Amino acid sequence: MSTPKYHRIVLKLSGEALAGAQGFGINPSVIQSIARQVKEIAEMGVEVAVVVGGGNIWRGKIGSEMGMDRATADYMGMLATVMNSLALQDSLEGLGIPTRVQTSIEMRQVAEPYIRRKAIRHLEKKRVVIFAAGTGNPYFSTDTTAALRAAEIEADVILMAKNNVDGVYSADPKKDASAVKYDELSYLDLLKDGLAVMDSTASSLCMDNNIPLIVFSIMEEGNIKRAVLGENIGTIVRGK
Ligand code: UDP
């Protein structure tokens, strides 16, 4: 069997990735495909932590544009990530993969609270850990959550799974035919060129803590495994 290049990973799934083509809510066949891909790498012995977004259900920015208090709208977004996390847990457990959800906002009847040492213990015992409810703070994103948790659990890499693009491009490939895909980039390039891969808080956190990031498409089944094996898929972002 092939040997993984990365042993402890954070997989960042945007809410949109769970919605599939319908663009809203949770698409059962998409979530099952993701669960199968996670199972594949978990069975290779890779320690998998997952951060799930919530944009398929609610985004704080939309609420605040509607005139809502931004913090309230953001808490709604964090709750959306919990729904997605429970759906993913259910799919993973359906495939026989032991999984724990930890939330940054306490809701003990639903899931464990986030406790760093406990999360690491679960990973060591080869349980998939899903980090839900973002950082627990308004004004942040689940990309920042992925960067923060990756630093905390000393992950080797963040795998950023996209459903609408297969890497980082110089411009939006759907709008600009001359857009070129990058194989490799630095975090400073991302920040300097304003490439919309992740928000600047998340990029800075990754840069300052030397956490590499692989941006790739989740739509092709087997891509998570390819990324973990170190195959050249998508775009790798690292260094300054
Ligand atoms: N959110 C937040 N703090 C966090 C993480 C998320 O307030 O630490 C809220 C924010 O409103 C955001 C929503 O949760 O719009 C959903 O997260 P995100 O937009 O990052 O999800 P994705 O784009 O990955 O689906």
Side-chain angles (χ1 to χ4, degrees):
M1 197 168 72
S2 330
T3 320
K5 177 172 180 188
Y6 304 107
H7 300 285
R8 180 176 291 170
I9 65 147
V10 168
L11 174 66
K12 164 68 210 300
L13 296 170
S14 67
E16 273 170 27
L18 304 184
Q22 72 205 31
F24 181 84
I26 300 167
N27 180 319
S29 66
V30 171
I31 206 160
Q32 275 154 22
S33 154
I34 294 171
R36 279 195 301 274
Q37 297 192 59
V38 170
K39 177 182 162 121
E40 214 173 17
I41 56 166
E43 285 178 348
M44 288 163 68
V46 176
E47 296 177 2
V48 189
V50 187
V51 171
V52 189
N56 55 325
I57 300 172
W58 181 258
R59 268 182 215 287
K61 210 166 153 273
I62 295 172
S64 88
E65 281 163 10
M66 282 161 40
M68 279 182 75
D69 168 56
R70 171 70 192 262
T72 304
D74 277 343
Y75 280 117
M76 288 170 66
M78 288 182 253
L79 294 179
T81 72
V82 178
M83 289 204 236
N84 285 334
S85 299
L86 294 178
L88 182 63
Q89 177 178 42
D90 188 75
S91 294
L92 283 166
E93 292 195 335
L95 296 176
I97 301 295
T99 306
R100 298 290 184 274
V101 175
Q102 291 201 341
T103 58
S104 306
I105 297 170
E106 279 202 25
M107 43 183 98
R108 288 173 181 267
Q109 287 80 356
V110 175
E112 293 177 8
Y114 171 64
I115 299 170
R116 177 178 160 268
R117 283 172 183 277
K118 210 166 166 184
I120 292 172
R121 191 78 193 110
H122 287 321
L123 291 169
E124 287 168 351
K125 289 190 171 171
K126 307 297 178 198
R127 295 174 184 139
V128 172
V129 179
I130 303 175
F131 294 125
T135 60
N137 301 289
Y139 297 95
F140 286 92
S141 66
T142 52
D143 288 348
T144 302
T145 311
L148 175 64
R149 296 291 182 246
E152 288 184 272
I153 64 168
E154 296 179 31
D156 302 320
V157 70
I158 298 173
L159 301 185
M160 183 171 274
K162 297 277 185 188
N163 63 325
N164 47 6
V165 70
D166 62 351
V168 184
Y169 284 78
S170 56
D172 184 344
K174 289 195 182 79
K175 293 182 190 149
D176 185 345
S178 66
V180 285
K181 186 174 146 195
Y182 299 110
D183 289 331
E184 202 172 328
L185 276 173
S186 71
Y187 283 108
L188 270 189
D189 293 329
L190 284 195
L191 289 163
K192 188 164 53 65
D193 300 339
L195 298 170
V197 176
M198 58 193 337
D199 54 86
S200 57
T201 314
S203 301
S204 314
L205 203 52
C206 287
M207 180 172 75
D208 292 348
N209 293 288
N210 256 323
I211 308 164
L213 170 82
I214 299 173
V215 183
F216 67 103
S217 165
I218 188 114
M219 298 316 276
E220 202 177 315
E221 211 161 317
N223 261 358
I224 300 180
K225 182 177 172 189
R226 286 186 200 105
V228 161
L229 290 175
E231 285 180 28
N232 275 344
I233 61 160
T235 303
I236 183 154
V237 188
R238 63 184 150 207
K240 293 212 166 170

PDB file of all heavy atoms in Angstrom, residues 35-72:
ATOM      1  N   ALA A  35     -17.599  11.188   2.505  1.00  0.00           N
ATOM      2  CA  ALA A  35     -17.372  10.229   3.596  1.00  0.00           C
ATOM      3  C   ALA A  35     -16.544   9.039   3.110  1.00  0.00           C
ATOM      4  O   ALA A  35     -15.628   8.575   3.799  1.00  0.00           O
ATOM      5  CB  ALA A  35     -18.722   9.768   4.172  1.00  0.00           C
ATOM      6  N   ARG A  36     -16.829   8.563   1.903  1.00  0.00           N
ATOM      7  CA  ARG A  36     -16.050   7.431   1.354  1.00  0.00           C
ATOM      8  C   ARG A  36     -14.592   7.819   1.178  1.00  0.00           C
ATOM      9  O   ARG A  36     -13.683   7.046   1.464  1.00  0.00           O
ATOM     10  CB  ARG A  36     -16.621   7.006  -0.018  1.00  0.00           C
ATOM     11  CG  ARG A  36     -17.830   6.107   0.061  1.00  0.00           C
ATOM     12  CD  ARG A  36     -18.106   5.440  -1.282  1.00  0.00           C
ATOM     13  NE  ARG A  36     -18.335   6.381  -2.360  1.00  0.00           N
ATOM     14  CZ  ARG A  36     -19.528   6.941  -2.652  1.00  0.00           C
ATOM     15  NH1 ARG A  36     -20.593   6.616  -1.935  1.00  0.00           N
ATOM     16  NH2 ARG A  36     -19.653   7.796  -3.649  1.00  0.00           N
ATOM     17  N   GLN A  37     -14.370   9.056   0.733  1.00  0.00           N
ATOM     18  CA  GLN A  37     -12.990   9.524   0.517  1.00  0.00           C
ATOM     19  C   GLN A  37     -12.247   9.685   1.838  1.00  0.00           C
ATOM     20  O   GLN A  37     -11.055   9.430   1.930  1.00  0.00           O
ATOM     21  CB  GLN A  37     -12.993  10.843  -0.248  1.00  0.00           C
ATOM     22  CG  GLN A  37     -13.575  10.730  -1.640  1.00  0.00           C
ATOM     23  CD  GLN A  37     -13.287  11.986  -2.451  1.00  0.00           C
ATOM     24  OE1 GLN A  37     -12.145  12.342  -2.657  1.00  0.00           O
ATOM     25  NE2 GLN A  37     -14.329  12.657  -2.895  1.00  0.00           N
ATOM     26  N   VAL A  38     -12.978  10.126   2.865  1.00  0.00           N
ATOM     27  CA  VAL A  38     -12.353  10.276   4.188  1.00  0.00           C
ATOM     28  C   VAL A  38     -12.029   8.884   4.746  1.00  0.00           C
ATOM     29  O   VAL A  38     -10.962   8.647   5.315  1.00  0.00           O
ATOM     30  CB  VAL A  38     -13.262  11.082   5.149  1.00  0.00           C
ATOM     31  CG1 VAL A  38     -12.733  11.037   6.572  1.00  0.00           C
ATOM     32  CG2 VAL A  38     -13.391  12.532   4.679  1.00  0.00           C
ATOM     33  N   LYS A  39     -12.950   7.946   4.534  1.00  0.00           N
ATOM     34  CA  LYS A  39     -12.740   6.572   5.009  1.00  0.00           C
ATOM     35  C   LYS A  39     -11.458   5.993   4.395  1.00  0.00           C
ATOM     36  O   LYS A  39     -10.649   5.369   5.088  1.00  0.00           O
ATOM     37  CB  LYS A  39     -13.951   5.715   4.613  1.00  0.00           C
ATOM     38  CG  LYS A  39     -13.834   4.240   4.995  1.00  0.00           C
ATOM     39  CD  LYS A  39     -15.058   3.484   4.505  1.00  0.00           C
ATOM     40  CE  LYS A  39     -14.773   2.013   4.475  1.00  0.00           C
ATOM     41  NZ  LYS A  39     -15.529   1.145   5.214  1.00  0.00           N
ATOM     42  N   GLU A  40     -11.290   6.252   3.110  1.00  0.00           N
ATOM     43  CA  GLU A  40     -10.133   5.731   2.383  1.00  0.00           C
ATOM     44  C   GLU A  40      -8.813   6.152   3.052  1.00  0.00           C
ATOM     45  O   GLU A  40      -7.913   5.341   3.245  1.00  0.00           O
ATOM     46  CB  GLU A  40     -10.175   6.307   0.961  1.00  0.00           C
ATOM     47  CG  GLU A  40      -9.657   5.401  -0.091  1.00  0.00           C
ATOM     48  CD  GLU A  40      -9.894   5.997  -1.499  1.00  0.00           C
ATOM     49  OE1 GLU A  40     -10.162   7.208  -1.641  1.00  0.00           O
ATOM     50  OE2 GLU A  40      -9.791   5.223  -2.437  1.00  0.00           O
ATOM     51  N   ILE A  41      -8.739   7.439   3.439  1.00  0.00           N
ATOM     52  CA  ILE A  41      -7.466   7.890   4.032  1.00  0.00           C
ATOM     53  C   ILE A  41      -7.379   7.501   5.512  1.00  0.00           C
ATOM     54  O   ILE A  41      -6.301   7.212   6.015  1.00  0.00           O
ATOM     55  CB  ILE A  41      -7.202   9.401   3.824  1.00  0.00           C
ATOM     56  CG1 ILE A  41      -8.342  10.255   4.356  1.00  0.00           C
ATOM     57  CG2 ILE A  41      -6.894   9.703   2.377  1.00  0.00           C
ATOM     58  CD1 ILE A  41      -7.962  11.722   4.471  1.00  0.00           C
ATOM     59  N   ALA A  42      -8.529   7.462   6.184  1.00  0.00           N
ATOM     60  CA  ALA A  42      -8.505   7.056   7.595  1.00  0.00           C
ATOM     61  C   ALA A  42      -8.001   5.611   7.688  1.00  0.00           C
ATOM     62  O   ALA A  42      -7.228   5.260   8.593  1.00  0.00           O
ATOM     63  CB  ALA A  42      -9.905   7.193   8.209  1.00  0.00           C
ATOM     64  N   GLU A  43      -8.389   4.792   6.727  1.00  0.00           N
ATOM     65  CA  GLU A  43      -7.958   3.388   6.735  1.00  0.00           C
ATOM     66  C   GLU A  43      -6.479   3.222   6.383  1.00  0.00           C
ATOM     67  O   GLU A  43      -5.902   2.166   6.623  1.00  0.00           O
ATOM     68  CB  GLU A  43      -8.849   2.564   5.788  1.00  0.00           C
ATOM     69  CG  GLU A  43     -10.209   2.329   6.428  1.00  0.00           C
ATOM     70  CD  GLU A  43     -11.190   1.571   5.550  1.00  0.00           C
ATOM     71  OE1 GLU A  43     -10.930   1.411   4.340  1.00  0.00           O
ATOM     72  OE2 GLU A  43     -12.232   1.149   6.090  1.00  0.00           O
ATOM     73  N   MET A  44      -5.897   4.284   5.808  1.00  0.00           N
ATOM     74  CA  MET A  44      -4.446   4.248   5.548  1.00  0.00           C
ATOM     75  C   MET A  44      -3.675   4.654   6.802  1.00  0.00           C
ATOM     76  O   MET A  44      -2.441   4.726   6.785  1.00  0.00           O
ATOM     77  CB  MET A  44      -4.090   5.237   4.427  1.00  0.00           C
ATOM     78  CG  MET A  44      -4.540   4.803   3.046  1.00  0.00           C
ATOM     79  SD  MET A  44      -4.522   6.229   1.893  1.00  0.00           S
ATOM     80  CE  MET A  44      -2.780   6.517   1.803  1.00  0.00           C
ATOM     81  N   GLY A  45      -4.404   4.989   7.875  1.00  0.00           N
ATOM     82  CA  GLY A  45      -3.746   5.371   9.128  1.00  0.00           C
ATOM     83  C   GLY A  45      -3.555   6.873   9.280  1.00  0.00           C
ATOM     84  O   GLY A  45      -2.949   7.330  10.256  1.00  0.00           O
ATOM     85  N   VAL A  46      -4.059   7.649   8.319  1.00  0.00           N
ATOM     86  CA  VAL A  46      -3.925   9.114   8.411  1.00  0.00           C
ATOM     87  C   VAL A  46      -4.874   9.624   9.497  1.00  0.00           C
ATOM     88  O   VAL A  46      -6.005   9.170   9.605  1.00  0.00           O
ATOM     89  CB  VAL A  46      -4.266   9.771   7.043  1.00  0.00           C
ATOM     90  CG1 VAL A  46      -4.233  11.288   7.136  1.00  0.00           C
ATOM     91  CG2 VAL A  46      -3.322   9.272   5.965  1.00  0.00           C
ATOM     92  N   GLU A  47      -4.367  10.533  10.319  1.00  0.00           N
ATOM     93  CA  GLU A  47      -5.216  11.142  11.350  1.00  0.00           C
ATOM     94  C   GLU A  47      -5.954  12.315  10.725  1.00  0.00           C
ATOM     95  O   GLU A  47      -5.333  13.260  10.229  1.00  0.00           O
ATOM     96  CB  GLU A  47      -4.357  11.589  12.534  1.00  0.00           C
ATOM     97  CG  GLU A  47      -3.705  10.384  13.204  1.00  0.00           C
ATOM     98  CD  GLU A  47      -2.770  10.732  14.359  1.00  0.00           C
ATOM     99  OE1 GLU A  47      -2.637  11.924  14.690  1.00  0.00           O
ATOM    100  OE2 GLU A  47      -2.168   9.797  14.913  1.00  0.00           O
ATOM    101  N   VAL A  48      -7.272  12.221  10.750  1.00  0.00           N
ATOM    102  CA  VAL A  48      -8.085  13.191   9.995  1.00  0.00           C
ATOM    103  C   VAL A  48      -8.938  14.060  10.918  1.00  0.00           C
ATOM    104  O   VAL A  48      -9.777  13.561  11.668  1.00  0.00           O
ATOM    105  CB  VAL A  48      -9.036  12.466   9.008  1.00  0.00           C
ATOM    106  CG1 VAL A  48      -9.704  13.486   8.080  1.00  0.00           C
ATOM    107  CG2 VAL A  48      -8.320  11.400   8.204  1.00  0.00           C
ATOM    108  N   ALA A  49      -8.700  15.370  10.833  1.00  0.00           N
ATOM    109  CA  ALA A  49      -9.598  16.333  11.473  1.00  0.00           C
ATOM    110  C   ALA A  49     -10.297  17.086  10.347  1.00  0.00           C
ATOM    111  O   ALA A  49      -9.690  17.360   9.314  1.00  0.00           O
ATOM    112  CB  ALA A  49      -8.794  17.301  12.338  1.00  0.00           C
ATOM    113  N   VAL A  50     -11.571  17.369  10.543  1.00  0.00           N
ATOM    114  CA  VAL A  50     -12.339  18.040   9.491  1.00  0.00           C
ATOM    115  C   VAL A  50     -12.914  19.337  10.048  1.00  0.00           C
ATOM    116  O   VAL A  50     -13.415  19.354  11.190  1.00  0.00           O
ATOM    117  CB  VAL A  50     -13.502  17.144   8.986  1.00  0.00           C
ATOM    118  CG1 VAL A  50     -14.181  17.779   7.777  1.00  0.00           C
ATOM    119  CG2 VAL A  50     -13.012  15.739   8.641  1.00  0.00           C
ATOM    120  N   VAL A  51     -12.810  20.406   9.275  1.00  0.00           N
ATOM    121  CA  VAL A  51     -13.506  21.650   9.623  1.00  0.00           C
ATOM    122  C   VAL A  51     -14.547  21.875   8.535  1.00  0.00           C
ATOM    123  O   VAL A  51     -14.216  21.876   7.348  1.00  0.00           O
ATOM    124  CB  VAL A  51     -12.531  22.850   9.686  1.00  0.00           C
ATOM    125  CG1 VAL A  51     -13.307  24.163   9.823  1.00  0.00           C
ATOM    126  CG2 VAL A  51     -11.569  22.684  10.860  1.00  0.00           C
ATOM    127  N   VAL A  52     -15.789  22.010   8.948  1.00  0.00           N
ATOM    128  CA  VAL A  52     -16.872  22.150   7.986  1.00  0.00           C
ATOM    129  C   VAL A  52     -17.421  23.572   8.028  1.00  0.00           C
ATOM    130  O   VAL A  52     -17.630  24.129   9.109  1.00  0.00           O
ATOM    131  CB  VAL A  52     -18.009  21.137   8.307  1.00  0.00           C
ATOM    132  CG1 VAL A  52     -19.025  21.119   7.182  1.00  0.00           C
ATOM    133  CG2 VAL A  52     -17.461  19.751   8.511  1.00  0.00           C
ATOM    134  N   GLY A  53     -17.661  24.136   6.854  1.00  0.00           N
ATOM    135  CA  GLY A  53     -18.257  25.470   6.755  1.00  0.00           C
ATOM    136  C   GLY A  53     -19.768  25.409   6.871  1.00  0.00           C
ATOM    137  O   GLY A  53     -20.335  24.363   7.198  1.00  0.00           O
ATOM    138  N   GLY A  54     -20.406  26.528   6.599  1.00  0.00           N
ATOM    139  CA  GLY A  54     -21.866  26.575   6.770  1.00  0.00           C
ATOM    140  C   GLY A  54     -22.575  27.354   5.676  1.00  0.00           C
ATOM    141  O   GLY A  54     -23.787  27.542   5.717  1.00  0.00           O
ATOM    142  N   GLY A  55     -21.785  27.786   4.679  1.00  0.00           N
ATOM    143  CA  GLY A  55     -22.318  28.674   3.646  1.00  0.00           C
ATOM    144  C   GLY A  55     -23.470  28.091   2.828  1.00  0.00           C
ATOM    145  O   GLY A  55     -24.196  28.840   2.180  1.00  0.00           O
ATOM    146  N   ASN A  56     -23.655  26.775   2.856  1.00  0.00           N
ATOM    147  CA  ASN A  56     -24.783  26.167   2.144  1.00  0.00           C
ATOM    148  C   ASN A  56     -26.099  26.402   2.880  1.00  0.00           C
ATOM    149  O   ASN A  56     -27.174  26.148   2.344  1.00  0.00           O
ATOM    150  CB  ASN A  56     -24.553  24.653   1.997  1.00  0.00           C
ATOM    151  CG  ASN A  56     -24.296  23.980   3.325  1.00  0.00           C
ATOM    152  OD1 ASN A  56     -23.676  24.555   4.218  1.00  0.00           O
ATOM    153  ND2 ASN A  56     -24.769  22.768   3.492  1.00  0.00           N
ATOM    154  N   ILE A  57     -26.001  26.854   4.130  1.00  0.00           N
ATOM    155  CA  ILE A  57     -27.216  27.083   4.922  1.00  0.00           C
ATOM    156  C   ILE A  57     -27.355  28.571   5.260  1.00  0.00           C
ATOM    157  O   ILE A  57     -28.411  29.177   5.093  1.00  0.00           O
ATOM    158  CB  ILE A  57     -27.189  26.230   6.209  1.00  0.00           C
ATOM    159  CG1 ILE A  57     -27.115  24.725   5.853  1.00  0.00           C
ATOM    160  CG2 ILE A  57     -28.418  26.518   7.086  1.00  0.00           C
ATOM    161  CD1 ILE A  57     -26.890  23.797   7.019  1.00  0.00           C
ATOM    162  N   TRP A  58     -26.272  29.163   5.731  1.00  0.00           N
ATOM    163  CA  TRP A  58     -26.347  30.555   6.180  1.00  0.00           C
ATOM    164  C   TRP A  58     -24.949  31.162   6.231  1.00  0.00           C
ATOM    165  O   TRP A  58     -23.999  30.484   6.617  1.00  0.00           O
ATOM    166  CB  TRP A  58     -26.960  30.608   7.590  1.00  0.00           C
ATOM    167  CG  TRP A  58     -27.119  31.992   8.141  1.00  0.00           C
ATOM    168  CD1 TRP A  58     -26.304  32.595   9.055  1.00  0.00           C
ATOM    169  CD2 TRP A  58     -28.137  32.947   7.839  1.00  0.00           C
ATOM    170  NE1 TRP A  58     -26.751  33.865   9.328  1.00  0.00           N
ATOM    171  CE2 TRP A  58     -27.884  34.110   8.597  1.00  0.00           C
ATOM    172  CE3 TRP A  58     -29.247  32.946   6.975  1.00  0.00           C
ATOM    173  CZ2 TRP A  58     -28.685  35.245   8.537  1.00  0.00           C
ATOM    174  CZ3 TRP A  58     -30.052  34.074   6.924  1.00  0.00           C
ATOM    175  CH2 TRP A  58     -29.767  35.200   7.699  1.00  0.00           C
ATOM    176  N   ARG A  59     -24.848  32.411   5.843  1.00  0.00           N
ATOM    177  CA  ARG A  59     -23.601  33.170   5.990  1.00  0.00           C
ATOM    178  C   ARG A  59     -23.907  34.428   6.758  1.00  0.00           C
ATOM    179  O   ARG A  59     -24.866  35.145   6.441  1.00  0.00           O
ATOM    180  CB  ARG A  59     -23.083  33.602   4.616  1.00  0.00           C
ATOM    181  CG  ARG A  59     -22.127  32.641   3.997  1.00  0.00           C
ATOM    182  CD  ARG A  59     -21.627  33.180   2.665  1.00  0.00           C
ATOM    183  NE  ARG A  59     -21.424  32.093   1.730  1.00  0.00           N
ATOM    184  CZ  ARG A  59     -20.432  31.237   1.805  1.00  0.00           C
ATOM    185  NH1 ARG A  59     -19.535  31.341   2.761  1.00  0.00           N
ATOM    186  NH2 ARG A  59     -20.325  30.269   0.929  1.00  0.00           N
ATOM    187  N   GLY A  60     -23.063  34.734   7.732  1.00  0.00           N
ATOM    188  CA  GLY A  60     -23.274  35.915   8.560  1.00  0.00           C
ATOM    189  C   GLY A  60     -23.377  37.193   7.743  1.00  0.00           C
ATOM    190  O   GLY A  60     -24.191  38.076   8.041  1.00  0.00           O
ATOM    191  N   LYS A  61     -22.574  37.259   6.687  1.00  0.00           N
ATOM    192  CA  LYS A  61     -22.534  38.474   5.868  1.00  0.00           C
ATOM    193  C   LYS A  61     -23.915  38.766   5.259  1.00  0.00           C
ATOM    194  O   LYS A  61     -24.341  39.922   5.191  1.00  0.00           O
ATOM    195  CB  LYS A  61     -21.503  38.271   4.753  1.00  0.00           C
ATOM    196  CG  LYS A  61     -20.836  39.521   4.306  1.00  0.00           C
ATOM    197  CD  LYS A  61     -19.604  39.175   3.472  1.00  0.00           C
ATOM    198  CE  LYS A  61     -19.318  40.301   2.503  1.00  0.00           C
ATOM    199  NZ  LYS A  61     -20.040  40.188   1.238  1.00  0.00           N
ATOM    200  N   ILE A  62     -24.606  37.715   4.851  1.00  0.00           N
ATOM    201  CA  ILE A  62     -25.925  37.905   4.228  1.00  0.00           C
ATOM    202  C   ILE A  62     -26.890  38.507   5.256  1.00  0.00           C
ATOM    203  O   ILE A  62     -27.601  39.468   4.978  1.00  0.00           O
ATOM    204  CB  ILE A  62     -26.486  36.557   3.701  1.00  0.00           C
ATOM    205  CG1 ILE A  62     -25.592  36.062   2.569  1.00  0.00           C
ATOM    206  CG2 ILE A  62     -27.928  36.698   3.235  1.00  0.00           C
ATOM    207  CD1 ILE A  62     -25.908  34.672   2.095  1.00  0.00           C
ATOM    208  N   GLY A  63     -26.863  37.962   6.454  1.00  0.00           N
ATOM    209  CA  GLY A  63     -27.725  38.480   7.520  1.00  0.00           C
ATOM    210  C   GLY A  63     -27.422  39.938   7.805  1.00  0.00           C
ATOM    211  O   GLY A  63     -28.337  40.764   7.952  1.00  0.00           O
ATOM    212  N   SER A  64     -26.128  40.259   7.864  1.00  0.00           N
ATOM    213  CA  SER A  64     -25.794  41.631   8.214  1.00  0.00           C
ATOM    214  C   SER A  64     -26.168  42.582   7.068  1.00  0.00           C
ATOM    215  O   SER A  64     -26.577  43.711   7.301  1.00  0.00           O
ATOM    216  CB  SER A  64     -24.346  41.764   8.681  1.00  0.00           C
ATOM    217  OG  SER A  64     -23.491  41.978   7.644  1.00  0.00           O
ATOM    218  N   GLU A  65     -26.094  42.075   5.820  1.00  0.00           N
ATOM    219  CA  GLU A  65     -26.548  42.915   4.692  1.00  0.00           C
ATOM    220  C   GLU A  65     -28.063  43.138   4.737  1.00  0.00           C
ATOM    221  O   GLU A  65     -28.569  44.119   4.214  1.00  0.00           O
ATOM    222  CB  GLU A  65     -26.154  42.261   3.356  1.00  0.00           C
ATOM    223  CG  GLU A  65     -24.678  42.515   3.020  1.00  0.00           C
ATOM    224  CD  GLU A  65     -24.117  41.585   1.956  1.00  0.00           C
ATOM    225  OE1 GLU A  65     -24.898  40.841   1.314  1.00  0.00           O
ATOM    226  OE2 GLU A  65     -22.884  41.589   1.793  1.00  0.00           O
ATOM    227  N   MET A  66     -28.760  42.190   5.374  1.00  0.00           N
ATOM    228  CA  MET A  66     -30.222  42.341   5.526  1.00  0.00           C
ATOM    229  C   MET A  66     -30.572  43.251   6.704  1.00  0.00           C
ATOM    230  O   MET A  66     -31.743  43.436   7.028  1.00  0.00           O
ATOM    231  CB  MET A  66     -30.858  40.963   5.773  1.00  0.00           C
ATOM    232  CG  MET A  66     -31.001  40.117   4.517  1.00  0.00           C
ATOM    233  SD  MET A  66     -31.217  38.329   4.848  1.00  0.00           S
ATOM    234  CE  MET A  66     -32.288  38.307   6.259  1.00  0.00           C
ATOM    235  N   GLY A  67     -29.537  43.750   7.363  1.00  0.00           N
ATOM    236  CA  GLY A  67     -29.787  44.664   8.479  1.00  0.00           C
ATOM    237  C   GLY A  67     -29.703  44.017   9.851  1.00  0.00           C
ATOM    238  O   GLY A  67     -29.955  44.657  10.872  1.00  0.00           O
ATOM    239  N   MET A  68     -29.339  42.724   9.894  1.00  0.00           N
ATOM    240  CA  MET A  68     -29.210  42.056  11.194  1.00  0.00           C
ATOM    241  C   MET A  68     -27.936  42.485  11.897  1.00  0.00           C
ATOM    242  O   MET A  68     -26.960  42.874  11.242  1.00  0.00           O
ATOM    243  CB  MET A  68     -29.122  40.530  11.002  1.00  0.00           C
ATOM    244  CG  MET A  68     -30.429  39.850  10.793  1.00  0.00           C
ATOM    245  SD  MET A  68     -30.146  38.074  10.638  1.00  0.00           S
ATOM    246  CE  MET A  68     -29.836  37.652  12.328  1.00  0.00           C
ATOM    247  N   ASP A  69     -27.937  42.343  13.189  1.00  0.00           N
ATOM    248  CA  ASP A  69     -26.718  42.544  13.957  1.00  0.00           C
ATOM    249  C   ASP A  69     -25.685  41.504  13.473  1.00  0.00           C
ATOM    250  O   ASP A  69     -26.009  40.314  13.365  1.00  0.00           O
ATOM    251  CB  ASP A  69     -27.086  42.324  15.434  1.00  0.00           C
ATOM    252  CG  ASP A  69     -25.882  42.222  16.318  1.00  0.00           C
ATOM    253  OD1 ASP A  69     -25.072  43.153  16.309  1.00  0.00           O
ATOM    254  OD2 ASP A  69     -25.743  41.191  17.009  1.00  0.00           O
ATOM    255  N   ARG A  70     -24.461  41.951  13.167  1.00  0.00           N
ATOM    256  CA  ARG A  70     -23.464  41.059  12.546  1.00  0.00           C
ATOM    257  C   ARG A  70     -23.134  39.866  13.446  1.00  0.00           C
ATOM    258  O   ARG A  70     -23.055  38.718  12.992  1.00  0.00           O
ATOM    259  CB  ARG A  70     -22.205  41.863  12.211  1.00  0.00           C
ATOM    260  CG  ARG A  70     -21.005  41.058  11.762  1.00  0.00           C
ATOM    261  CD  ARG A  70     -21.213  40.452  10.376  1.00  0.00           C
ATOM    262  NE  ARG A  70     -20.205  39.463  10.070  1.00  0.00           N
ATOM    263  CZ  ARG A  70     -19.113  39.678   9.340  1.00  0.00           C
ATOM    264  NH1 ARG A  70     -18.880  40.857   8.827  1.00  0.00           N
ATOM    265  NH2 ARG A  70     -18.255  38.703   9.103  1.00  0.00           N
ATOM    266  N   ALA A  71     -22.970  40.127  14.739  1.00  0.00           N
ATOM    267  CA  ALA A  71     -22.587  39.028  15.631  1.00  0.00           C
ATOM    268  C   ALA A  71     -23.698  37.968  15.679  1.00  0.00           C
ATOM    269  O   ALA A  71     -23.422  36.761  15.618  1.00  0.00           O
ATOM    270  CB  ALA A  71     -22.289  39.569  17.027  1.00  0.00           C
ATOM    271  N   THR A  72     -24.947  38.407  15.745  1.00  0.00           N
ATOM    272  CA  THR A  72     -26.070  37.452  15.772  1.00  0.00           C
ATOM    273  C   THR A  72     -26.079  36.630  14.486  1.00  0.00           C
ATOM    274  O   THR A  72     -26.229  35.396  14.514  1.00  0.00           O
ATOM    275  CB  THR A  72     -27.408  38.215  15.901  1.00  0.00           C
ATOM    276  OG1 THR A  72     -27.330  39.032  17.066  1.00  0.00           O
ATOM    277  CG2 THR A  72     -28.594  37.263  16.010  1.00  0.00           C
TER     278      THR A  72
END
